[in-house]
Amino acid sequence: MQSPAGGVSTPKDVLHTRKSIQFQNTGFPHVGLASARRHTPFNHAPSKRRIPQTNPLTETIDPVKISLLMSKQWTLYSVTPLHKFSHANLREYARLLSAHICAEKQKGLAFEVGTELNVKAVFSHLPGLKGRDQNPGAFLVQVSAKPLFSVSGSQDRIVWSGWFCCTFGDKDTLDLLTTDALVCFPLFLVNGAETLTAIVGTWFQKAFDCSFSRLPISARDLAWMTAMWTDYEAHEHVTATELIFSVPVEPHMDITYAIHPDDIKALWDNIHKGQDEVLADEVELLFQCLYSHFFRHFKIHLSATKLVKVSNSVASVHCDGKVKVSIYYM
């Protein structure tokens, strides 16, 4: 791998500082969250992971909806199973959630200044977003409103979006949690105001006896994502792989480590030998090589820092549970 210090045209490794990010409380009750975290299919530490073999999303999902999912940054939540949820009742759920939001607004909990009329919720299917045939199909929830001083005939504006999905979760865990009365959507992704997230989340908790909790992403999982995404081919908008490390010093400091896509692909191809799965030892070796390369040029031990963000041509993911997808499998 070539070094930016060697004068080649790879992105530069830079040091910079930033302020710590503060999050508001969603207002979700914390009862049962310990159990939810214990059973979520996304918190294991596997020795290997299978490379998903997926079908093109364009075959099963409206391209407009795909564009919507890709154009936003999503905040991740884990969810306990939904009690007596049915895909056949999405229209009724939309009516009940709309009424709940309007009732909360009348209490003075307006979610955005200027959007005061015709608040409504819409539920829709996202059938292609599931890893296995036996997984429940994902669904999208959108809340729209008409601006107070909008022109007659203008379209409603979407002010909040969220979607529930179950993609490649641990099969044994899902089988344990799923019954005739329970439907498992371990992952809930949200884009919108925190106040409205709390209102929608409260309705789901009351309607389906479920619990929500923020879903941070560990440095270990970020490392797995870095390795597994390196194999994905982005035919357009190919970008560098950017790793951000948090340095345990005051004032707070981050290290941004950018690797040219050809360099990290060549390194990974030399390490990764399997076709259908990625081994933990391969991920560890990848990062050992990256750490060694960085130390050789900057005399900084990245092993003493914490990986907090990964960005590349596929997606951008932060340890706080913030995700933005850049490409989808065509």
Side-chain angles (χ1 to χ4, degrees):
M1 182 183 301
Q2 294 176 308
S3 165
V8 298
S9 59
T10 55
K12 293 183 179 181
D13 305 271
V14 296
L15 286 154
H16 63 88
T17 60
R18 66 169 175 83
K19 296 181 180 179
S20 59
I21 302 174
Q22 301 294 328
F23 292 96
Q24 298 177 355
N25 193 309
T26 62
F28 292 171
H30 293 282
V31 177
L33 296 189
S35 175
R37 294 190 184 100
R38 188 163 56 247
H39 293 297
T40 176
F42 304 100
N43 281 346
H44 299 306
S47 61
K48 61 184 179 181
R49 283 178 171 166
R50 185 172 64 88
I51 299 174
Q53 303 299 318
T54 58
N55 295 321
L57 292 180
T58 50
E59 293 183 358
T60 54
I61 302 180
D62 182 352
V64 175
K65 290 183 180 178
I66 295 178
S67 177
L68 171 67
L69 300 181
M70 292 175 56
S71 63
K72 301 180 183 297
Q73 177 174 269
W74 302 93
T75 301
L76 306 182
Y77 291 84
S78 61
V79 191
T80 57
L82 276 59
H83 183 248
K84 293 187 177 180
F85 173 89
S86 173
H87 284 87
N89 296 330
L90 293 189
R91 182 172 297 182
E92 177 65 9
Y93 298 154
R95 184 186 68 81
L96 294 173
L97 178 56
S98 298
H100 174 74
I101 295 173
C102 289
E104 293 299 307
K105 282 172 57 61
Q106 290 177 359
K107 296 177 183 178
L109 299 176
F111 51 86
E112 187 173 346
V113 176
T115 55
E116 300 295 334
L117 299 177
N118 298 333
V119 178
K120 65 178 180 180
V122 176
F123 285 57
S124 56
H125 296 279
L126 296 173
L129 285 176
K130 60 179 182 179
R132 304 178 180 88
D133 290 339
Q134 62 267 35
N135 293 153
F139 66 94
L140 173 68
V141 182
Q142 295 172 296
V143 177
S144 61
K146 189 177 292 294
L148 184 60
F149 301 106
S150 61
V151 179
S152 177
S154 61
Q155 293 185 341
D156 293 353
R157 183 167 63 94
I158 296 174
V159 296
W160 185 93
S161 300
W163 47 294
F164 292 77
C165 67
C166 179
T167 58
F168 296 103
D170 180 78
K171 182 179 183 299
D172 293 336
T173 304
L174 293 175
D175 290 343
L176 177 66
L177 292 175
T178 303
T179 67
D180 291 340
L182 296 174
V183 182
C184 197
F185 297 100
L187 196 57
F188 179 45
L189 300 92
V190 172
N191 174 271
E194 190 78 13
T195 304
L196 190 51
T197 299
I199 292 174
V200 174
T202 299
W203 180 83
F204 269 92
Q205 289 178 155
K206 293 178 179 178
F208 303 108
D209 194 22
C210 60
S211 294
F212 294 77
S213 61
R214 282 293 300 272
L215 184 61
I217 301 174
S218 68
R220 179 193 67 240
D221 286 334
L222 289 174
W224 276 95
M225 293 175 187
T226 303
M228 297 183 74
W229 289 345
T230 301
D231 266 341
Y232 280 80
E233 294 186 7
H235 302 289
E236 298 179 359
H237 308 296
V238 179
T239 63
T241 293
E242 186 175 273
L243 309 176
I244 298 182
F245 297 85
S246 177
V247 183
V249 296
E250 293 294 340
H252 181 85
M253 177 181 290
D254 284 343
I255 296 176
T256 299
Y257 185 3
I259 309 106
H260 192 281
D262 293 340
D263 290 341
I264 194 168
K265 183 66 165 62
L267 175 60
W268 181 242
D269 287 345
N270 189 55
I271 294 171
H272 176 55
K273 303 304 180 183
Q275 295 294 323
D276 300 324
E277 61 186 21
V278 174
L279 304 179
D281 290 344
E282 294 175 332
V283 178
E284 182 177 356
L285 180 56
L286 172 67
F287 273 80
Q288 286 177 352
C289 292
L290 294 175
Y291 289 172
S292 176
H293 174 79
F294 194 87
F295 180 80
R296 185 162 60 250
H297 290 282
F298 301 102
K299 299 301 183 287
I300 296 175
H301 289 286
L302 290 178
S303 57
T305 66
K306 178 183 177 182
L307 180 62
V308 296
K309 185 177 180 180
V310 174
S311 299
N312 62 10
S313 302
V314 176
S316 174
V317 183
H318 194 279
C319 66
D320 286 327
K322 303 282 189 178
V323 176
K324 185 174 182 179
V325 180
S326 302
I327 67 171
Y328 59 91
Y329 177 66
M330 295 298 291

